[in-house]
């Protein structure tokens, strides 16, 4: 279950970075078979400051195997960095499938894997189901053209970031994005606002809790981003009550504005979003 959103941001019709955003809800069953929820689950992994993994569907197996995979990559226990994107995907499949086949509960799940090579954003989706893995690789070479009715009533065209949304919340997110597009709202902040609205309004039972954000730049550097909501700070779905000592760490609010982690207000020199 749950929802994962990807989009590729651009400046002057060229991609500059890409974002992955998710919510934080884990859904389980109680002794009577009823759904119970925990809104603190980690669904995004930034690995070695180079790669981003995110998942939806089953939660117990993916969070376990991705935690191990992160350690293996960062400690150079896998020959990962020097492989092509296609061979990285092959290695991920080969690492996960043997233990997945032994997993006693055959719940399905999907993993998004994101990296950059030679300033090109690479994105794949790995769908695990019934002891198998189907893989998709997405071509995101240029922004998508979107037509909408302008203020004059005439058709106008804007460039929109390439967007992918997966999980149970996708059927709720897609109509919201289309309604934004009709108004000519197609930028990164609008993608984020759509997901925030979908999650905050609890449109999908399985998608709720603080948003988790990660960004990868076309120079290949990947970083997590903190989230500020209702005067509280969150990272990977967990509230942080202490002061943030690392001023270089980026924080965003529900309007996708860059904020100061101490004041929780718009960061000095940052642009306010409509």
């Amino acid at each position: 279950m749950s929802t994962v959103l990807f989009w590729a941001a651009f400046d002057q019709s060229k991609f500059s970075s890409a974002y992955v955003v998710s919510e934080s809800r884990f859904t389980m069953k109680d002794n009577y078979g009823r759904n119970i929820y925990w809104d603190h689950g980690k669904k995004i992994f930034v690995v070695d400051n180079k790669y981003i993994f995110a998942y939806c569907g089953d939660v117990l197996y993916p969070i376990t195997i991705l935690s191990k995979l992160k350690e293996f990559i960062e400690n150079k226990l896998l020959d990962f960095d020097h492989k092509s994107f296609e061979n990285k995907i092959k290695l991920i499949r080969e690492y996960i499938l043997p233990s997945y086949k032994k997993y006693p509960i055959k719940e399905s799940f999907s993993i998004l894997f994101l990296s950059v090579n030679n300033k090109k954003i690479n994105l794949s989706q790995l769908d695990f189901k019934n002891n198998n893995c189907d893989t998709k690789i997405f071509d995101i070479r240029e922004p998508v053209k979107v037509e909408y009715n302008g203020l004059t009533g005439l058709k106008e065209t804007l460039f929109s970031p390439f967007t992918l949304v997966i999980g149970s919340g996708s059927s709720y997110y897609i109509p919201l994005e289309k309604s934004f597009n009709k108004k000519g709202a197609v930028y990164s902040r609008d993608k984020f606002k759509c997901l925030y609205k979908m999650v905050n309004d609890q449109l999908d039972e399985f998608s709720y809790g603080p948003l988790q954000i990660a960004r990868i730049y076309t120079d290949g550097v990947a970083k997590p981003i903190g989230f500020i909501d209702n005067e509280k700070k969150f990272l990977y779905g967990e509230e942080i009550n202490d002061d943030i000592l690392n001023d270089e760490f980026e924080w965003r609010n529900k309007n996708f504005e860059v904020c100061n982690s101490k004041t929780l207000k718009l960061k000095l020199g940052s642009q306010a979003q409509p």
Side-chain angles (χ1 to χ4, degrees):
M1 304 299 180
S2 70
T3 308
V4 177
L5 171 67
F6 163 91
W7 75 86
F10 64 94
D11 293 317
Q12 298 178 342
S13 299
K14 293 183 179 179
F15 288 122
S16 58
S17 60
Y19 292 90
V20 179
V21 185
S22 181
E23 32 66 55
S24 304
R25 171 158 286 186
F26 280 9
T27 303
M28 299 155 282
K29 299 287 186 181
D30 65 12
N31 293 334
Y32 300 97
R34 297 172 299 197
N35 286 336
I36 53 176
Y37 310 104
W38 185 63
D39 296 328
H40 302 267
K42 182 177 180 180
K43 297 185 178 179
I44 293 178
F45 291 81
V46 175
V47 178
D48 205 20
N49 294 322
K50 299 175 185 176
Y51 314 109
I52 298 174
F53 291 85
Y55 68 90
C56 64
D58 179 40
V59 294
L60 179 57
Y61 180 83
I63 195 172
T64 301
I65 200 69
L66 288 177
S67 296
K68 293 179 182 179
L69 183 59
K70 172 180 166 70
E71 294 294 328
F72 274 54
I73 293 173
E74 292 182 342
N75 289 288
K76 313 302 179 187
L77 297 174
L78 295 175
D79 182 18
F80 197 78
D81 290 342
H82 300 100
K83 294 185 180 297
S84 67
F85 184 65
E86 290 75 13
N87 284 331
K88 283 182 171 71
I89 295 171
K90 182 180 178 181
L91 190 151
I92 294 169
R93 287 167 51 97
E94 291 174 347
Y95 178 82
I96 292 178
L97 276 174
S99 66
Y100 174 58
K101 290 178 179 179
K102 297 177 181 177
Y103 189 53
I105 304 173
K106 286 297 180 285
E107 297 286 347
S108 61
F109 63 94
S110 296
I111 292 174
L112 289 189
F113 170 56
L114 179 60
S115 72
V116 167
N117 184 42
N118 293 326
K119 297 189 179 298
K120 178 184 177 183
I121 298 169
N122 298 304
L123 174 69
S124 68
Q125 178 180 338
L126 294 82
D127 298 318
F128 291 84
K129 185 178 181 180
N130 298 327
N131 291 332
N132 293 307
C133 175
D134 294 326
T135 304
K136 304 171 188 173
I137 297 178
F138 296 91
D139 186 351
I140 51 172
R141 287 179 294 181
E142 59 185 31
V144 180
K145 288 184 178 180
V146 174
E147 286 191 344
Y148 73 104
N149 290 322
L151 295 176
T152 63
L154 299 176
K155 288 285 186 181
E156 297 185 20
T157 301
L158 284 176
F159 286 103
S160 174
F162 176 94
T163 307
L164 175 69
V165 58
I166 61 174
S168 59
S170 61
S171 60
Y172 298 94
Y173 174 87
I174 292 171
L176 274 177
E177 186 185 84
K178 287 182 178 179
S179 69
F180 270 58
N181 284 346
K182 289 179 181 178
K183 303 171 186 176
V186 296
Y187 301 107
S188 291
R189 62 180 180 268
D190 304 308
K191 309 293 184 184
F192 188 82
K193 287 178 180 178
C194 281
L195 185 64
Y196 179 82
K197 178 174 176 56
M198 188 209 84
V199 170
N200 199 54
D201 291 351
Q202 300 188 52
L203 300 182
D204 176 39
E205 176 187 359
F206 308 106
S207 303
Y208 194 62
L211 297 187
Q212 306 175 27
I213 316 165
R215 181 179 188 179
I216 191 166
Y217 299 84
T218 50
D219 64 3
V221 176
K223 294 182 178 181
I225 295 175
F227 179 52
I228 294 173
D229 192 32
N230 295 320
E231 302 296 317
K232 297 179 180 179
K233 303 187 292 284
F234 300 91
L235 183 64
Y236 292 128
E238 196 64 40
E239 184 178 355
I240 299 176
N241 294 312
D242 296 332
D243 288 338
I244 305 299
L245 302 180
N246 186 353
D247 289 335
E248 295 181 359
F249 205 77
E250 188 173 311
W251 293 83
R252 301 273 183 149
N253 63 12
K254 65 179 182 180
N255 294 321
F256 214 54
E257 297 167 325
V258 180
C259 294
N260 184 302
S261 63
K262 292 183 174 59
T263 66
L264 309 185
K265 305 299 182 183
L266 192 69
K267 191 172 183 178
L268 184 65
S270 298
Q271 183 178 356
Q273 302 294 347

